[in-house]
Amino acid sequence: LWNLSPFDFFPLPSPFVIGITIVGTALSAMAAFAYNQILEVDTDAQMDRTKDRVLPSSKLSKGIVLAFGSTMLIVGQALLFFFVNWVAAACALGSFLVYVVLYTALLKRRTEHNTVIGGISGAVGPLIGQAASAGTIHLDGFLLFLLIFLWQPPHFWALAIHLREDYGRAGFPMLPVVKGIDRTVKEMLIY
């Protein structure tokens, strides 16, 4: 037992699988960001922080961003599915769908709880990594997911406090805009 290392219990995948996992995950995440910017071009134009992005500033068209985002999603998913495993691909696709559909399209403009639900997509990384290394998801991967998930709301609320006027101008019901800074700080402490 004294001669064992942590890698005897948690073996690392090959450098090839690690590299493909990173590239596939990054492409899937970048696809989500591209779709997000297509869906939010009108509100991005109203915010100081985002008004110079490629769509509001007319540097690129929605069609080009859609084609680029779709290509990144397809290539990222194919890399994960064919060279890593279906579990890693499913986790990355789930993260994409939560970010684009649930967070951006359905919740971001409707509720101050948007960042809590949106935090799911940002916390999926450990699940993708564990799926790549073990072929499945275990409790330790889920606990890392939970740790990052619980960290994200206070992290984004701090940003939302700093950019409160920007979010308010664009009509996003972020917690500090809707409930105020005191309530937001209390929520941050709970998390």
Side-chain angles (χ1 to χ4, degrees):
L1 185 63
W2 298 108
N3 296 327
L4 295 175
S5 78
F7 297 112
D8 292 326
F9 296 101
F10 304 105
L12 288 175
S14 72
F16 175 78
V17 169
I18 292 171
I20 292 294
T21 302
I22 291 169
V23 171
T25 301
L27 288 171
S28 295
M30 288 187 293
F33 303 147
Y35 276 70
N36 169 274
Q37 290 188 36
I38 291 167
L39 292 170
E40 295 189 342
V41 66
D42 57 329
T43 51
D44 280 352
Q46 299 173 40
M47 297 178 66
D48 290 335
R49 182 177 67 89
T50 56
K51 67 183 178 189
D52 293 324
R53 287 181 174 172
V54 296
L55 289 175
S57 64
S58 299
K59 292 175 186 161
L60 293 175
S61 69
K62 281 186 181 180
I64 289 173
V65 174
L66 179 62
F68 192 65
S70 298
T71 301
M72 287 188 294
L73 180 63
I74 291 166
V75 172
Q77 284 295 298
L79 288 172
L80 291 170
F81 187 83
F82 291 112
F83 295 104
V84 181
N85 59 51
W86 73 269
V87 180
C91 289
L93 182 60
S95 177
F96 172 88
L97 292 172
V98 167
Y99 190 78
V100 173
V101 177
L102 195 58
Y103 170 67
T104 302
L106 297 177
L107 297 176
K108 192 169 182 185
R109 298 182 196 212
R110 290 179 178 84
T111 177
E112 71 270 13
H113 303 293
N114 56 25
T115 54
V116 175
I117 303 302
I120 293 169
S121 62
V124 172
L127 302 180
I128 298 169
Q130 186 168 57
S133 66
T136 188
I137 298 169
H138 300 288
L139 179 62
D140 50 344
F142 179 74
L143 290 175
L144 280 172
F145 163 85
L146 190 59
L147 177 71
I148 296 170
F149 172 74
L150 292 174
W151 166 81
Q152 287 199 79
H155 165 77
F156 284 109
W157 288 331
L159 178 66
I161 288 171
H162 178 68
L163 300 169
R164 186 170 57 150
E165 284 111 29
D166 226 12
Y167 282 118
R169 186 171 40 258
F172 288 123
M174 302 299 284
L175 189 62
V177 173
V178 176
K179 302 290 183 179
I181 293 174
D182 288 342
R183 168 71 183 272
T184 303
V185 170
K186 288 176 187 172
E187 294 281 337
M188 290 167 76
L189 290 173
I190 290 170
Y191 275 85

